[in-house]
Amino acid sequence: MSLSYNMSIVTRFAPSPTGFLHIGGARTALFNYLLAKNKGGKFLLRIEDTDQKRSTPEAVDAILDSLSWLGLEHDGDIVYQFSRASHHKEMVEKLLSEGKAYHCYASPEELEAMREKARNEKRPPGYDGRWRDRDPSEAPEGINPVVRLKTPQSGVTTLKDDVQGEISVANDQLDDLILLRSDGTPTYMLSVVIDDYDMGVTHIMRGDDHLTNSFRQKQIYQAFGWEMPKLSHVPLIHGADGAKLSKRHGALGADAYRDMGILPEALCNYLLRLGWSHGDDEIIPRNQAIEWFSTKHIGKSPARFDMEKLLSLNAHYLREKNNDALMSLIQPLMEKKQNRELERSEVEKITKGMAPLKERAKDLHILAEGASVYLTQNPFVLEDKPKKQLSTEDAQTVLKFVYENIDIISCWDQETLEAALRELAERQGLKFGKVAGPLRAAISGRSVSPGVFDLMATLGQKETMDRLKSALNL
Ligand code: GLU
């Protein structure tokens, strides 16, 4: 069976669907995607659902959803590992017939005794090979055997890893691993090798927690007479405190970052820089990442996750995004908060007034919160600070004066408004700030808002007058 593509480079992402897409997994997917695209190759997706007890369709959906949110579209059909189990099994028959694998009838008690012995002798536990060369006629009755690989007993198994360099393990440290369990199901180690081979994978890139598996997998490749794909084992992500990233460090699924109002562009850029570098470049959009990515510049030591850095990249990508796109991202957030649909006029105002808001926002929630300054509220509610600011007699006098004089302004744009307000201040013998301050408090109703003329222009004359009137009635 061949699922392979005739392409120069084939990478794959092979998550086990037992939960959400962890950001470590998201980074692995991103690196594999970039490597494939850099070489005009294919990026394949394999769902490793062999552990049927722990795999769930919800987890598959969550992983697919996150990958699609991150813009990491895979090529070709998704390969579901479990559906290929009978093929994995068949391939073991081949090894058995060639004498490269054998049935092992060791009982659980015997295996426990081997472990106990190894413990006493202070060496790593392992199977002692007692059924390796035994005649099958000696097989005990009524026991379903496992199938083990006849691994080399001397020499070394060497991996050449693009990140970790060349690493060897003495073969006498590696016992005869199980290929098929006693119920006939293939082990993970076997399935991974056959699937990678059948999918034509040329480059395996994954977390370095899989490094030890690679020695085992290499032995399986050798038994089949196949060449092992190129390897890159990427150091895992650590938390800001230097410890391996865990639940303790906060939200860890890619979806959790989406919920925090992080843009996928920002998360991808952040994850890319977390473990890979291109000189001092920090802002690396997707097309640039595709052009530059190679396994050469993957760091050898674990990178620390830094939320502040992620937020500052997010702020950058928010500023870069066009206003309509931002509007469609914050609209659902605003509607949820307001518990109503936004009016078309509000959407228009927010989109028009997005520029000053996106200058300051670090995430979509902050942006949505800022954008609510443009929502029509009846009555208009002011925050405590501006309310207090407007409760003085001086402030009320200024507001009244402005209110009575701006309804005649016919050209309601930022420049005209500013000129008119300056003129009004002068006429009253007031410093400009004494007019602009209360005006901004009254019209925005908050302590932080876009500039007052920006705001007035975006809100339009009627809404501005309405808000002034509310402030006058305080
Ligand atoms: N399914 C494994 C995991 O989720 C990855 C296996 C691999 O990349 O070879 O960690």
Side-chain angles (χ1 to χ4, degrees), residues 281-454:
D281 289 302
E282 289 293 347
I283 292 176
I284 311 178
R286 177 64 55 90
N287 53 357
Q288 195 64 80
I290 291 176
E291 195 183 318
W292 285 343
F293 191 81
S294 82
T295 54
K296 236 188 259 145
H297 296 109
I298 294 176
K300 278 199 172 49
S301 42
R304 291 186 185 204
F305 193 85
D306 179 344
M307 192 63 197
E308 277 311 309
K309 250 191 179 158
L310 171 58
L311 284 172
S312 95
L313 277 170
N314 203 42
H316 166 81
Y317 283 98
L318 282 172
R319 284 194 298 273
E320 295 272 294
K321 230 175 171 52
N322 81 46
N323 298 347
D324 289 317
L326 285 174
M327 185 65 231
S328 40
L329 288 169
I330 59 173
Q331 189 165 351
L333 304 179
M334 297 181 76
E335 291 185 340
K336 190 163 171 217
K337 185 135 191 215
Q338 298 293 320
N339 203 13
R340 65 172 175 90
E341 282 183 13
L342 299 192
E343 317 244 331
R344 203 153 138 209
S345 62
E346 291 174 312
V347 170
E348 279 164 11
K349 277 179 202 159
I350 297 168
T351 312
K352 193 170 149 208
M354 194 72 82
L357 298 177
K358 68 181 182 186
E359 282 310 310
R360 264 180 250 140
K362 280 191 171 179
D363 65 51
L364 289 170
H365 294 288
I366 296 177
L367 187 65
E369 169 56 27
S372 63
V373 75
Y374 299 119
L375 295 181
T376 315
Q377 303 171 32
N378 204 358
F380 185 65
V381 185
L382 294 98
E383 284 176 7
D384 288 346
K385 203 168 154 205
K387 201 167 178 178
K388 200 161 161 224
Q389 189 185 347
L390 297 174
S391 60
T392 66
E393 214 179 305
D394 282 357
Q396 287 290 318
T397 313
V398 167
L399 286 189
K400 188 157 182 286
F401 175 68
V402 172
Y403 182 76
E404 283 164 357
N405 284 282
I406 60 170
D407 61 339
I408 51 152
I409 298 177
S410 56
C411 180
W412 198 261
D413 63 31
Q414 200 181 323
E415 292 80 47
T416 315
L417 286 167
E418 179 163 358
L421 265 302
R422 280 188 188 280
E423 204 259 331
L424 286 179
E426 209 167 299
R427 208 192 304 162
Q428 282 298 91
L430 286 173
K431 280 212 179 103
F432 182 56
K434 289 270 182 242
V435 177
L439 197 56
R440 176 173 170 145
I443 294 169
S444 73
R446 36 177 89 190
S447 0
V448 184
S449 79
V452 66
F453 304 113
D454 246 354

Side-chain angles (χ1 to χ4, degrees), residues 60-342:
V60 174
D61 289 346
I63 291 170
L64 296 183
D65 188 42
S66 289
L67 286 174
S68 133
W69 176 66
L70 290 166
L72 302 174
E73 304 298 345
H74 59 89
D75 297 300
D77 292 336
I78 301 175
V79 174
Y80 288 88
Q81 191 161 62
F82 183 65
S83 71
R84 294 176 37 81
S86 59
H87 174 61
H88 300 152
K89 220 170 140 175
E90 266 164 43
M91 292 300 285
V92 172
E93 290 305 321
K94 185 172 174 294
L95 293 181
L96 281 168
S97 69
E98 292 171 356
K100 291 176 177 164
Y102 62 94
H103 289 109
C104 165
Y105 296 86
S107 65
E109 294 74 32
E110 284 177 273
L111 292 170
E112 181 45 41
M114 280 178 228
R115 274 194 286 272
E116 177 73 39
K117 188 158 176 270
R119 261 197 301 273
N120 292 339
E121 292 169 10
K122 295 201 171 17
R123 53 179 179 77
Y127 171 70
D128 64 5
R130 63 183 61 181
W131 280 93
R132 219 176 133 100
D133 300 309
R134 224 147 128 186
D135 197 277
S137 63
E138 294 177 42
E141 290 277 313
I143 289 197
N144 290 328
V146 300
V147 176
R148 288 184 185 267
L149 182 70
K150 222 179 233 186
T151 59
Q153 288 176 311
S154 59
V156 290
T157 295
T158 300
L159 300 178
K160 286 198 180 93
D161 190 284
D162 272 0
V163 179
Q164 313 283 338
E166 196 172 293
I167 325 165
S168 302
V169 166
N171 285 334
D172 61 12
Q173 298 294 307
L174 302 170
D175 65 357
D176 287 349
L177 64 112
I178 298 177
L179 299 173
L180 295 182
R181 299 184 191 90
S182 56
D183 62 1
T185 55
T187 56
Y188 163 73
M189 222 56 98
L190 173 75
S191 305
V192 168
V193 170
I194 297 179
D195 286 348
D196 279 337
Y197 177 76
D198 285 347
M199 290 162 77
V201 170
T202 59
H203 291 65
I204 292 176
M205 212 183 325
R206 57 190 170 196
D208 66 6
D209 49 338
H210 284 281
L211 189 60
T212 47
N213 288 346
S214 292
F215 291 101
R216 301 305 210 159
Q217 290 169 13
K218 177 140 191 195
Q219 294 185 326
I220 303 177
Y221 276 98
Q222 281 168 336
F224 280 116
W226 298 335
E227 193 186 330
M228 190 165 194
K230 283 194 179 307
L231 298 173
S232 303
H233 284 92
V234 183
L236 299 182
I237 301 173
H238 284 200
D241 57 2
K244 210 177 118 185
L245 206 57
S246 69
K247 291 227 168 71
R248 191 164 53 78
H249 293 97
L252 294 172
D255 56 336
Y257 292 93
R258 169 168 43 181
D259 293 348
M260 286 178 213
I262 302 290
L263 295 175
E265 299 91 319
L267 187 57
C268 282
N269 189 150
Y270 181 67
L271 291 175
L272 172 64
R273 285 287 296 103
L274 205 56
W276 177 87
S277 58
H278 183 272
D280 291 332
D281 289 302
E282 289 293 347
I283 292 176
I284 311 178
R286 177 64 55 90
N287 53 357
Q288 195 64 80
I290 291 176
E291 195 183 318
W292 285 343
F293 191 81
S294 82
T295 54
K296 236 188 259 145
H297 296 109
I298 294 176
K300 278 199 172 49
S301 42
R304 291 186 185 204
F305 193 85
D306 179 344
M307 192 63 197
E308 277 311 309
K309 250 191 179 158
L310 171 58
L311 284 172
S312 95
L313 277 170
N314 203 42
H316 166 81
Y317 283 98
L318 282 172
R319 284 194 298 273
E320 295 272 294
K321 230 175 171 52
N322 81 46
N323 298 347
D324 289 317
L326 285 174
M327 185 65 231
S328 40
L329 288 169
I330 59 173
Q331 189 165 351
L333 304 179
M334 297 181 76
E335 291 185 340
K336 190 163 171 217
K337 185 135 191 215
Q338 298 293 320
N339 203 13
R340 65 172 175 90
E341 282 183 13
L342 299 192

